[in-house]
Amino acid sequence: MTNFIKVPKLEADKARNALMEHNLYLKGIKTQNDKEFVYFPVIKKGFKTKELKKYKVVTKKSKEYSTTKSFRDILVDDLHIKDYIASYDTVGGIAILKMTPEMKKKEKELTHLFLQNNPTIKTLVKKASEHHGKYRLEDVKYLAGKKTLKTQVKESGCIFNIELGKMFFSPRLSFERERLAQKVKDGSTIGVFFAGVGPFSIVIAKKNPNCKIYSIELNREAHKCAKENLAQNKIKNVRVVCADVAKYAQKIKDLCDYIIMPLPKTSDLFLESAYTAIKKKPEGQITLYKFVPKASLYKDLINELKLFAKKKKKKLKVIFKREVRDYNPKIVQIVIDFKFV
Ligand SMILES: C[S@@+](CC[C@H](N)C(=O)[O-])C[C@H]1O[C@@H](n2cnc3c(N)ncnc32)[C@H](O)[C@@H]1O
């Protein structure tokens, strides 16, 4: 039996970060889930930490990971690295390591130990750039394992084919896709702007087979993959379009009950396009993702939306908002669901 902290799913990312930060996460034990809560294994029964003391700790049967060592243990115990950031993302069978200068000096040994301790990882790469350019691509460099940047990601009962370096994909938005899939009314028309390889469109379409979804993406490579992904998941109610949303919005004028805008760097620059495509009567709902400073959080974006509403002689109605994930120590990604009424 193990102690688990019981956290509502919406707060899972924040709680996990706080547990890591305060060294309270119990390594080697699998996290558990039910419909509403995530259960993180913890080393104590109660916490004084501000972010964690509101959560209950429960005792449950636990399962151990088959891996022998955590990434942090490899870095600290085996490689004696002090300047570590125990951070990597997995995308399907590929792990992307973030390397500090000290980690780079021990790259060969680290590569070997990582693959040995993570049998589900087939390819190991290192992050070579931040996401950049209009296609939001991330450069990666091959380190070891199977020599491919193509992989398949399983999420919410769907499968996505992707190729790292040529298109954007983030597993960290899976909760948001699930949230929206449960929130939209089946039978509605949905515009997924900045759709990438189709994860938002496909997860929503699968749960809502009577919706009609326009999935709009500018990057030809991502668009090609999105088409394959529709076929692979046997989805019939999504139309994938390779276009600039600023132009395509005119073609779906006043048609959408929902618009989803997952381009957190600049999505607010496309508000005019969302306004063009959204239904005015009854008013449709727009979901917008944005990177914002932690210090001001929702304030500036809400002011910007209010100003936009005023220009259209409307009012802003915020329906839901939350912090999605930390982007860096000063920047957080937020989401706001809203209407112009
Ligand atoms: C942050 S990614 C999100 C992709 C996808 N929704 C996901 O969650 O994996 C943003 C995507 O918007 C696309 N994009 C950027 N500007 C665009 C535009 N003006 N019209 C259509 N797509 C655009 C990029 O190519 C990129 O694939």
Side-chain angles (χ1 to χ4, degrees), residues 12-63:
D13 281 352
K14 267 193 130 178
R16 187 195 296 107
N17 291 344
L19 288 169
M20 295 289 200
E21 196 178 314
H22 298 286
N23 287 327
L24 297 166
Y25 203 101
L26 180 62
K27 286 174 272 174
I29 301 289
K30 281 188 176 171
T31 299
Q32 300 184 21
N33 286 287
D34 59 25
K35 241 182 158 187
E36 283 175 64
F37 296 95
V38 179
Y39 300 85
F40 293 118
V42 288
I43 58 168
K44 285 206 270 180
K45 272 197 166 162
F47 307 107
K48 290 191 184 117
T49 318
K50 195 176 88 201
E51 306 100 298
L52 298 170
K53 65 180 176 194
K54 60 182 170 180
Y55 301 120
K56 249 191 179 170
V57 173
V58 294
T59 309
K60 283 163 85 65
K61 257 194 181 166
S62 56
K63 279 192 196 149

Coordinates of all heavy atoms in Angstrom, one line a residue, residues 12-63:
A12 N -4.0 18.9 -12.1 CA -3.0 17.9 -12.0 C -1.6 18.4 -12.3 O -0.6 18.1 -11.6 CB -3.3 16.7 -12.9
D13 N -1.5 19.2 -13.4 CA -0.1 19.7 -13.8 C 0.5 20.5 -12.7 O 1.7 20.3 -12.4 CB -0.2 20.5 -15.1 CG -0.4 19.7 -16.3 OD1 -0.3 18.5 -16.2 OD2 -0.7 20.3 -17.4
K14 N -0.3 21.4 -12.1 CA 0.3 22.3 -11.1 C 0.7 21.5 -9.9 O 1.8 21.7 -9.3 CB -0.8 23.3 -10.7 CG -0.8 24.5 -11.4 CD -1.6 25.6 -10.8 CE -0.8 26.8 -10.6 NZ -1.6 27.9 -10.0
A15 N -0.1 20.5 -9.5 CA 0.2 19.7 -8.3 C 1.4 18.9 -8.5 O 2.3 18.8 -7.7 CB -1.0 18.8 -7.9
R16 N 1.5 18.3 -9.8 CA 2.7 17.4 -10.1 C 4.0 18.3 -10.0 O 5.0 17.9 -9.4 CB 2.6 16.8 -11.5 CG 3.7 15.8 -11.8 CD 3.8 15.5 -13.2 NE 2.7 14.8 -13.8 CZ 1.9 15.4 -14.7 NH1 2.0 16.7 -15.0 NH2 0.9 14.7 -15.2
N17 N 3.9 19.5 -10.6 CA 5.1 20.4 -10.5 C 5.5 20.7 -9.1 O 6.7 20.7 -8.7 CB 4.8 21.7 -11.3 CG 4.7 21.4 -12.8 OD1 5.1 20.4 -13.2 ND2 4.2 22.4 -13.5
A18 N 4.5 21.0 -8.2 CA 4.8 21.3 -6.8 C 5.4 20.1 -6.1 O 6.3 20.3 -5.3 CB 3.5 21.8 -6.1
L19 N 4.9 18.9 -6.4 CA 5.4 17.7 -5.7 C 6.9 17.5 -6.1 O 7.8 17.2 -5.3 CB 4.7 16.5 -6.1 CG 3.3 16.3 -5.5 CD1 2.5 15.2 -6.2 CD2 3.4 16.0 -4.0
M20 N 7.2 17.7 -7.4 CA 8.6 17.6 -7.9 C 9.5 18.6 -7.3 O 10.6 18.3 -6.8 CB 8.6 17.8 -9.4 CG 7.9 16.8 -10.2 SD 8.8 15.2 -10.2 CE 8.1 14.4 -11.6
E21 N 9.0 19.9 -7.3 CA 9.8 21.0 -6.8 C 10.1 20.8 -5.3 O 11.2 21.1 -4.9 CB 8.9 22.3 -6.9 CG 9.7 23.5 -6.8 CD 8.8 24.7 -7.0 OE1 8.0 24.7 -8.0 OE2 8.8 25.6 -6.2
H22 N 9.2 20.2 -4.5 CA 9.5 20.0 -3.1 C 10.0 18.6 -2.7 O 10.0 18.2 -1.6 CB 8.2 20.4 -2.3 CG 7.8 21.8 -2.4 ND1 8.5 22.9 -1.9 CD2 6.8 22.4 -3.2 CE1 7.9 24.0 -2.2 NE2 6.9 23.7 -3.0
N23 N 10.4 17.9 -3.8 CA 10.9 16.5 -3.6 C 9.9 15.6 -2.8 O 10.3 14.9 -1.9 CB 12.2 16.5 -2.9 CG 13.3 17.0 -3.8 OD1 13.3 16.7 -5.0 ND2 14.3 17.7 -3.2
L24 N 8.6 15.7 -3.1 CA 7.6 14.9 -2.3 C 7.0 13.8 -3.2 O 6.3 13.0 -2.7 CB 6.5 15.8 -1.9 CG 6.9 16.9 -0.9 CD1 5.8 18.0 -0.8 CD2 7.2 16.3 0.4
Y25 N 7.5 13.7 -4.4 CA 6.9 12.7 -5.4 C 7.6 11.4 -5.1 O 8.9 11.3 -5.0 CB 7.3 13.2 -6.8 CG 6.4 12.6 -7.8 CD1 5.4 13.3 -8.4 CD2 6.6 11.3 -8.3 CE1 4.6 12.8 -9.4 CE2 5.8 10.7 -9.3 CZ 4.8 11.5 -9.8 OH 4.0 10.9 -10.8
L26 N 6.9 10.3 -4.9 CA 7.5 9.0 -4.6 C 7.8 8.3 -6.0 O 6.9 8.0 -6.8 CB 6.5 8.1 -3.9 CG 7.0 6.7 -3.5 CD1 8.2 6.8 -2.6 CD2 5.9 6.0 -2.8
K27 N 9.1 8.1 -6.2 CA 9.5 7.6 -7.5 C 9.3 6.1 -7.6 O 9.2 5.4 -6.7 CB 11.0 7.9 -7.7 CG 11.3 9.4 -8.0 CD 12.7 9.7 -8.0 CE 13.2 10.0 -6.6 NZ 14.7 10.2 -6.5
G28 N 9.1 5.7 -8.9 CA 9.0 4.3 -9.2 C 7.6 3.7 -9.0 O 7.4 2.5 -9.3
I29 N 6.7 4.5 -8.6 CA 5.3 4.0 -8.5 C 4.4 4.7 -9.5 O 4.5 5.9 -9.8 CB 4.7 4.4 -7.1 CG1 5.6 3.7 -6.0 CG2 3.3 3.9 -6.9 CD1 5.5 2.3 -5.8
K30 N 3.5 3.9 -10.1 CA 2.6 4.4 -11.2 C 1.6 5.4 -10.6 O 0.9 5.1 -9.6 CB 1.9 3.3 -11.9 CG 2.8 2.6 -12.9 CD 2.0 1.6 -13.8 CE 2.9 1.0 -14.8 NZ 2.3 0.0 -15.5
T31 N 1.4 6.5 -11.3 CA 0.3 7.4 -11.0 C -1.0 6.7 -11.4 O -1.1 5.9 -12.3 CB 0.5 8.7 -11.9 OG1 1.7 9.3 -11.6 CG2 -0.7 9.7 -11.7
Q32 N -2.1 7.0 -10.7 CA -3.4 6.4 -11.0 C -4.4 7.4 -11.3 O -4.3 8.6 -11.0 CB -3.9 5.5 -9.8 CG -2.9 4.4 -9.4 CD -3.4 3.5 -8.3 OE1 -4.6 3.4 -8.0 NE2 -2.4 2.8 -7.7
N33 N -5.5 7.0 -12.0 CA -6.6 8.0 -12.4 C -7.9 7.4 -12.1 O -8.1 6.2 -12.2 CB -6.6 8.0 -13.9 CG -5.4 8.8 -14.5 OD1 -5.4 10.0 -14.3 ND2 -4.5 8.1 -15.0
D34 N -8.9 8.2 -11.9 CA -10.3 7.8 -12.1 C -11.0 8.9 -12.9 O -10.3 9.7 -13.5 CB -11.0 7.4 -10.8 CG -11.1 8.6 -9.8 OD1 -11.0 9.8 -10.3 OD2 -11.2 8.4 -8.6
K35 N -12.3 8.9 -12.9 CA -13.0 9.9 -13.8 C -12.6 11.4 -13.5 O -12.4 12.2 -14.4 CB -14.5 9.7 -13.7 CG -15.1 9.4 -15.1 CD -16.6 9.2 -15.0 CE -17.1 9.4 -16.4 NZ -18.6 9.4 -16.3
E36 N -12.6 11.7 -12.2 CA -12.4 13.1 -11.8 C -11.0 13.4 -11.3 O -10.6 14.5 -11.3 CB -13.4 13.4 -10.7 CG -14.8 13.6 -11.1 CD -15.7 13.8 -9.9 OE1 -15.5 14.8 -9.2 OE2 -16.5 13.0 -9.7
F37 N -10.3 12.4 -10.7 CA -9.1 12.7 -10.0 C -7.8 12.0 -10.5 O -8.0 10.9 -11.2 CB -9.2 12.3 -8.5 CG -10.3 13.0 -7.8 CD1 -11.6 12.6 -7.7 CD2 -10.0 14.3 -7.2 CE1 -12.5 13.3 -7.0 CE2 -10.9 15.0 -6.6 CZ -12.2 14.6 -6.5
V38 N -6.7 12.6 -10.3 CA -5.4 11.9 -10.5 C -4.8 11.6 -9.1 O -4.9 12.5 -8.2 CB -4.5 12.8 -11.3 CG1 -3.1 12.1 -11.5 CG2 -5.1 13.2 -12.6
Y39 N -4.2 10.5 -9.0 CA -3.6 10.1 -7.7 C -2.1 10.0 -7.9 O -1.6 9.1 -8.6 CB -4.1 8.8 -7.2 CG -5.6 8.8 -7.0 CD1 -6.5 8.6 -8.0 CD2 -6.2 9.1 -5.7 CE1 -7.9 8.6 -7.9 CE2 -7.5 9.1 -5.5 CZ -8.4 8.9 -6.6 OH -9.7 8.9 -6.4
F40 N -1.3 10.9 -7.3 CA 0.1 10.9 -7.4 C 0.7 10.2 -6.2 O 0.4 10.6 -5.1 CB 0.7 12.3 -7.5 CG 0.3 13.1 -8.8 CD1 -0.4 14.2 -8.7 CD2 0.7 12.6 -10.0 CE1 -0.8 14.9 -9.9 CE2 0.4 13.3 -11.2 CZ -0.4 14.4 -11.1
P41 N 1.7 9.3 -6.4 CA 2.3 8.7 -5.2 C 3.2 9.7 -4.5 O 4.0 10.4 -5.2 CB 3.2 7.6 -5.9 CG 3.4 8.0 -7.3 CD 2.2 8.8 -7.7
V42 N 3.1 9.7 -3.2 CA 3.9 10.7 -2.4 C 4.6 10.1 -1.2 O 4.3 9.0 -0.8 CB 2.9 11.8 -1.9 CG1 2.4 12.7 -3.0 CG2 1.7 11.2 -1.1
I43 N 5.6 10.8 -0.7 CA 6.5 10.2 0.3 C 6.0 10.4 1.7 O 6.5 9.9 2.7 CB 7.9 10.6 0.2 CG1 8.0 12.2 0.3 CG2 8.6 10.2 -1.1 CD1 9.4 12.6 0.5
K44 N 4.9 11.3 1.8 CA 4.5 11.6 3.2 C 2.9 11.6 3.3 O 2.3 11.4 2.2 CB 4.9 13.1 3.5 CG 6.3 13.3 3.9 CD 6.5 14.5 4.8 CE 6.8 15.7 4.0 NZ 7.0 16.9 4.8
K45 N 2.4 11.7 4.5 CA 0.9 11.6 4.6 C 0.3 13.0 4.6 O -0.9 13.1 4.3 CB 0.6 10.9 6.0 CG 0.5 9.4 5.8 CD -0.2 8.8 7.0 CE -0.6 7.4 6.6 NZ -0.9 6.6 7.8
G46 N 1.0 14.1 4.8 CA 0.4 15.4 4.8 C 1.4 16.4 4.4 O 2.6 16.1 4.5
F47 N 1.0 17.6 4.0 CA 1.9 18.6 3.5 C 1.7 20.0 4.1 O 0.5 20.3 4.3 CB 1.9 18.7 2.0 CG 2.0 17.4 1.3 CD1 0.9 16.8 0.7 CD2 3.2 16.8 1.3 CE1 1.1 15.6 0.1 CE2 3.4 15.6 0.6 CZ 2.3 15.0 0.1
K48 N 2.7 20.7 4.3 CA 2.6 22.1 4.8 C 2.6 23.0 3.6 O 2.2 24.2 3.6 CB 3.7 22.4 5.8 CG 3.5 21.7 7.1 CD 4.4 22.3 8.1 CE 4.3 21.4 9.4 NZ 5.5 20.8 9.8
T49 N 3.2 22.6 2.5 CA 3.4 23.4 1.3 C 2.1 24.1 0.9 O 1.1 23.3 0.7 CB 3.9 22.6 0.1 OG1 4.9 21.7 0.6 CG2 4.5 23.4 -1.0
K50 N 2.1 25.4 0.6 CA 0.9 26.1 0.3 C 0.1 25.5 -0.9 O -1.1 25.3 -0.8 CB 1.3 27.6 -0.1 CG 0.2 28.6 -0.1 CD 0.7 30.0 -0.4 CE 0.7 30.1 -1.9 NZ 1.5 31.1 -2.5
E51 N 0.8 25.1 -2.0 CA 0.1 24.6 -3.1 C -0.5 23.2 -2.9 O -1.4 22.7 -3.6 CB 1.0 24.5 -4.4 CG 1.7 25.7 -4.7 CD 3.2 25.6 -4.2 OE1 3.3 25.6 -3.0 OE2 4.1 25.7 -5.0
L52 N -0.1 22.5 -1.8 CA -0.5 21.1 -1.7 C -1.3 20.8 -0.5 O -2.0 19.7 -0.4 CB 0.8 20.2 -1.6 CG 1.7 20.2 -2.9 CD1 3.0 19.5 -2.6 CD2 1.0 19.6 -4.1
K53 N -1.3 21.7 0.5 CA -2.0 21.3 1.8 C -3.5 21.1 1.6 O -4.1 20.5 2.5 CB -1.6 22.3 2.9 CG -2.1 23.7 2.7 CD -1.6 24.5 4.0 CE -1.9 25.9 3.8 NZ -1.2 26.8 4.7
K54 N -4.1 21.7 0.6 CA -5.6 21.5 0.4 C -6.0 20.1 -0.1 O -7.1 19.8 0.0 CB -6.1 22.6 -0.6 CG -5.5 22.5 -2.0 CD -6.0 23.6 -2.9 CE -5.2 23.6 -4.2 NZ -5.6 24.6 -5.1
Y55 N -5.0 19.3 -0.5 CA -5.4 18.0 -1.1 C -5.4 16.9 0.0 O -4.5 16.9 0.9 CB -4.4 17.6 -2.2 CG -4.4 18.6 -3.4 CD1 -3.3 19.2 -3.7 CD2 -5.6 18.9 -4.0 CE1 -3.3 20.1 -4.8 CE2 -5.6 19.8 -5.1 CZ -4.4 20.4 -5.5 OH -4.4 21.3 -6.5
K56 N -6.3 15.9 -0.2 CA -6.3 14.8 0.7 C -5.3 13.8 0.3 O -4.9 13.6 -0.9 CB -7.7 14.1 0.5 CG -8.6 14.2 1.6 CD -9.8 13.2 1.4 CE -10.8 13.3 2.5 NZ -12.0 12.5 2.1
V57 N -4.7 13.0 1.3 CA -3.8 11.9 1.0 C -4.6 10.6 1.3 O -5.2 10.5 2.4 CB -2.5 12.0 1.8 CG1 -1.7 10.8 1.6 CG2 -1.7 13.3 1.4
V58 N -4.6 9.7 0.3 CA -5.3 8.5 0.5 C -4.3 7.3 0.4 O -3.3 7.4 -0.3 CB -6.5 8.3 -0.5 CG1 -7.5 9.3 -0.3 CG2 -6.0 8.4 -1.9
T59 N -4.7 6.2 1.0 CA -3.8 5.0 0.9 C -4.4 4.0 -0.2 O -5.6 3.7 -0.1 CB -3.7 4.3 2.2 OG1 -3.3 5.3 3.2 CG2 -2.6 3.2 2.2
K60 N -3.6 3.6 -1.1 CA -4.1 2.7 -2.2 C -3.1 1.6 -2.5 O -1.9 1.8 -2.2 CB -4.4 3.5 -3.5 CG -5.6 4.4 -3.4 CD -5.5 5.4 -4.5 CE -6.0 5.0 -5.9 NZ -7.4 4.6 -6.0
K61 N -3.6 0.6 -3.1 CA -2.7 -0.4 -3.7 C -1.9 0.2 -4.8 O -2.4 1.0 -5.6 CB -3.5 -1.6 -4.2 CG -3.6 -2.8 -3.4 CD -4.1 -3.9 -4.2 CE -4.2 -5.2 -3.3 NZ -5.0 -6.2 -4.0
S62 N -0.6 -0.1 -4.9 CA 0.2 0.6 -5.9 C 0.8 -0.4 -6.8 O 1.0 -1.6 -6.5 CB 1.3 1.4 -5.2 OG 2.0 0.6 -4.4
K63 N 1.2 0.1 -8.0 CA 2.0 -0.7 -9.0 C 3.3 -0.1 -9.2 O 3.3 1.2 -9.4 CB 1.2 -0.8 -10.3 CG 0.1 -1.8 -10.3 CD -0.4 -2.0 -11.7 CE -1.7 -2.7 -11.7 NZ -2.6 -2.3 -12.9

